[in-house]
Amino acid sequence: MNITKIVMSSAGGALTATISCPTTPQSVVGVVFRYNSDQSFDKKMGLFKTDSPDINLGSPIENDGKLFMIQGTVINFNDDPPSPYKVVVDISQNGNVLSTEVPSDGGSGKIGDKDIAFAYNFSLQNQ
Amino acid sequence: MMKNINLLGILLFVLTWQNARSQDSTKIKNILNQVNYGVPASPAFELLPNKPSEVTHLASVHDISASINNFVDGGKLKSGAAFDIRPFAYAAGSLKHYQKSGLSRVLWRSVFSLGTASESKNSSDVYIGAGLRIPIIDKSDPRSHADYVSNLEAAYYKAYNDLKNPPFGQTAAEHQKTVDEFAKSQDIKKLRDDFAKQYWNAFRWDVGIGASNRAASGFLKTDSLFKDRIGLWTAFGLPIPKGQLTISANTAWIKAKADTGETNRNVFGARARFFVASWLSASGEYAKIHSLRNTVSYNESWDHLAIVVEFKIPKLGGWFGLAYGGDSAHRTDTGTKFSFNYAIYTDNLIKN
């Protein structure tokens, strides 16, 4: 299991996760979950879609040591031939981007007439 | 209602018995498929002597280099290789940009194809074809309908909202099962079905261009490559009540192998298809074909006509089709003529 470790500033302000497809006209919808460091479930942080890609994760204090899992769907439009897609996950703090990544688990590839699932895990830790 | 349909079908069956020429659906299929009224999905393959059986769909231009190995072996072209790709896909931008920009939509929809084929198993020559298909306008493109995309996303959003807390670290493959269940939900299926029903015959304009060369003995050397043909296609799809009208034109320039060989073929035609009811479909088409040769006296032209009506008759085990059409007589086929045909078959032949 891949977990991207993201270091934040304890005094840097609120954190935001942005999930989008900026380079290809694809539609993504999904959810962000938060877990405690022992992987027990903590909270559903919010849902995202094309016109509302940002999820507010809260302050550094409440997120220190927490784990996050993003689950999403790239919606199919019956493309023939299949079309490329690339999901980008940005984690930012007070507007400053801390991490930009294409999820390695289903975050890029081809989509035809079947929806595609993707997943991305990360942790937040204070400096 | 079904009783009337049955009676109508049996009546037509009896009426056409005397003059009909075939009880085999192959004849009707041939009449319907003889002329292609759209732009080929892959213009490159249309110009090859045989269409590739398997096409690799590439996602990015970086994949091309890996795919080239399928085409060349020891400096010689291999037969039967094919790929297609959306070459400008990454220039299309985000979905929001796509919905606003006509250029973005054209770039995204364009598909480049490349393929190879031999004329026969015994021939060592390999043909290589390349082509580009450009759907310039496509009102049936679901992405371009912001309301539809928004409603579809809202349905998935609701499904995610109802999703119970999964264990941490669930993989995409594991999550795929949930996503597949979302897709089966009534809300999502209804949105997709309603869209397809409303826009299947919406206006569209496609253009295609392709060219092919013959590589003598498969060698990829300048002195072994010979021009074979160039093709141009254009087609308009227009909505009509309960149906679709397609108007198309295509031309192919051909490197003639003999003085009497064909150098140019032009086809202009139109086809209307009607889906009157779930049990009744009809298709009417007409095309004019001109075949030009090096020797002018060998030039020829002919008409293609097809009128097909098919009825679903459960008691007969499927569909009853009645067709009139074929090609008019011409120099290279003096015996051909329009004829009546009928057949009973399992699956409908007229499809939207």
Side-chain angles (χ1 to χ4, degrees):
Chain A
M1 182 200 320
N2 286 332
I3 304 173
T4 300
K5 192 180 284 185
I6 298 169
V7 178
M8 59 187 170
S9 164
S10 55
L15 291 131
T16 306
T18 305
I19 302 95
S20 63
C21 276
T23 55
T24 51
Q26 302 287 11
S27 182
V28 287
V29 180
V31 60
V32 180
F33 296 105
R34 189 170 72 182
Y35 298 80
N36 299 309
S37 55
D38 63 357
Q39 300 191 1
S40 59
F41 180 77
D42 180 21
K43 192 178 177 185
K44 189 184 250 185
M45 301 304 292
L47 290 93
F48 59 88
K49 54 191 173 88
T50 300
D51 58 5
S52 52
D54 299 330
I55 307 281
N56 182 13
L57 302 180
S59 70
I61 296 164
E62 63 180 295
N63 284 307
D64 189 23
K66 297 283 185 180
L67 299 166
F68 294 83
M69 181 170 75
I70 298 175
Q71 290 192 321
T73 301
V74 184
I75 298 174
N76 90 80
F77 291 105
N78 291 311
D79 286 334
D80 183 21
S83 62
Y85 73 90
K86 192 181 278 184
V87 178
V88 176
V89 177
D90 289 313
I91 307 298
S92 56
Q93 186 173 25
N94 210 16
N96 301 314
V97 177
L98 303 177
S99 163
T100 295
E101 201 167 358
V102 176
S104 58
D105 194 8
S108 65
K110 293 177 287 186
I111 181 165
D113 59 1
K114 189 173 182 287
D115 298 332
I116 306 270
F118 64 90
Y120 181 69
N121 307 313
F122 66 96
S123 67
L124 287 174
Q125 286 181 339
N126 276 324
Q127 260 174 343
Chain B
M1 172 67 88
M2 286 312 295
K3 195 173 179 182
N4 291 340
I5 298 165
N6 293 345
L7 288 171
L8 182 64
I10 292 162
L11 180 66
L12 278 163
F13 188 84
V14 172
L15 283 173
T16 55
W17 181 266
Q18 295 298 319
N19 296 317
R21 291 182 59 187
S22 169
Q23 294 183 41
D24 182 355
S25 66
T26 310
K27 279 244 175 192
I28 300 179
K29 271 185 205 164
N30 288 345
I31 289 171
L32 281 172
N33 297 328
Q34 206 158 331
V35 176
N36 184 356
Y37 292 91
V39 172
S42 302
F45 310 150
E46 203 67 17
L47 300 174
L48 297 173
N50 294 299
K51 285 186 187 173
S53 55
E54 206 168 308
V55 180
T56 305
H57 304 301
L58 304 182
S60 74
V61 287
H62 302 294
D63 298 339
I64 293 177
S65 55
S67 187
I68 287 298
N69 290 333
N70 297 331
F71 279 79
V72 185
D73 184 17
K76 288 175 78 173
L77 269 177
K78 286 199 283 189
S79 179
F83 75 74
D84 61 21
I85 185 170
R86 295 172 186 252
F88 316 117
Y90 285 98
S94 68
L95 185 59
K96 207 172 270 186
H97 178 67
Y98 180 88
Q99 288 169 345
K100 287 179 188 162
S101 163
L103 178 63
S104 169
R105 293 193 288 273
V106 172
L107 291 171
W108 174 256
R109 294 172 193 147
S110 297
V111 176
F112 173 78
S113 48
L114 187 74
T116 59
S118 298
E119 202 153 31
S120 66
K121 280 183 183 173
N122 300 326
S123 170
S124 60
D125 290 355
V126 179
Y127 290 81
I128 180 165
L132 188 65
R133 183 174 192 269
I134 311 167
I136 293 173
I137 297 171
D138 184 0
K139 298 287 184 190
S140 65
D141 172 9
R143 274 188 186 80
S144 62
H145 292 264
D147 288 350
Y148 170 67
V149 173
S150 179
N151 290 338
L152 200 56
E153 286 193 359
Y156 281 89
Y157 195 88
K158 184 178 175 295
Y160 269 109
N161 200 35
D162 297 341
L163 184 65
K164 299 290 174 223
N165 315 324
F168 180 73
Q170 200 174 56
T171 63
E174 288 162 340
H175 182 48
Q176 185 68 51
K177 291 169 194 160
T178 306
V179 171
D180 292 344
E181 287 304 313
F182 290 171
K184 288 180 199 162
S185 79
Q186 283 304 311
D187 287 356
I188 291 168
K189 274 178 76 175
K190 187 177 184 317
L191 280 167
R192 290 189 183 279
D193 290 348
D194 288 351
F195 182 86
K197 203 172 170 184
Q198 189 176 353
Y199 290 102
W200 74 270
N201 61 349
F203 178 73
R204 59 182 299 160
W205 175 28
D206 294 347
V207 171
I209 182 167
S212 66
N213 274 19
R214 178 174 60 89
S217 299
F219 284 110
L220 266 178
K221 292 188 289 189
T222 316
D223 58 354
S224 300
L225 277 173
F226 302 96
K227 285 177 188 166
D228 184 50
R229 54 186 69 200
I230 295 171
L232 284 174
W233 297 261
T234 188
F236 297 90
L238 303 149
I240 52 176
K242 291 189 180 290
Q244 184 179 43
L245 173 67
T246 308
I247 301 168
S248 73
N250 72 69
T251 185
W253 291 275
I254 304 153
K255 181 76 178 171
K257 289 173 186 164
D259 286 347
T260 55
E262 191 174 32
T263 56
N264 184 210
R265 179 174 286 215
N266 302 313
V267 181
F268 177 79
R271 181 185 67 196
R273 288 190 167 180
F274 299 94
F275 301 89
V276 183
S278 60
W279 54 272
L280 176 62
S281 311
S283 175
E285 63 185 60
Y286 170 79
K288 186 83 180 174
I289 298 113
H290 296 277
S291 172
L292 308 179
R293 314 269 167 161
N294 270 333
T295 306
V296 176
S297 59
Y298 284 99
N299 288 353
E300 58 183 333
S301 65
W302 65 94
D303 301 297
H304 169 80
L305 175 74
I307 298 165
V308 179
V309 182
E310 60 181 12
F311 308 88
K312 191 175 189 179
I313 306 172
K315 280 190 180 169
L316 292 179
W319 292 77
F320 172 74
L322 180 63
Y324 176 73
D327 288 351
S328 62
H330 48 285
R331 187 183 59 80
T332 49
D333 195 354
T334 52
T336 186
K337 59 182 180 181
F338 300 146
S339 62
F340 272 111
N341 294 278
Y342 71 88
I344 296 163
Y345 37 85
T346 314
D347 297 320
N348 56 325
L349 300 177
I350 303 171
K351 290 175 179 167
N352 54 2

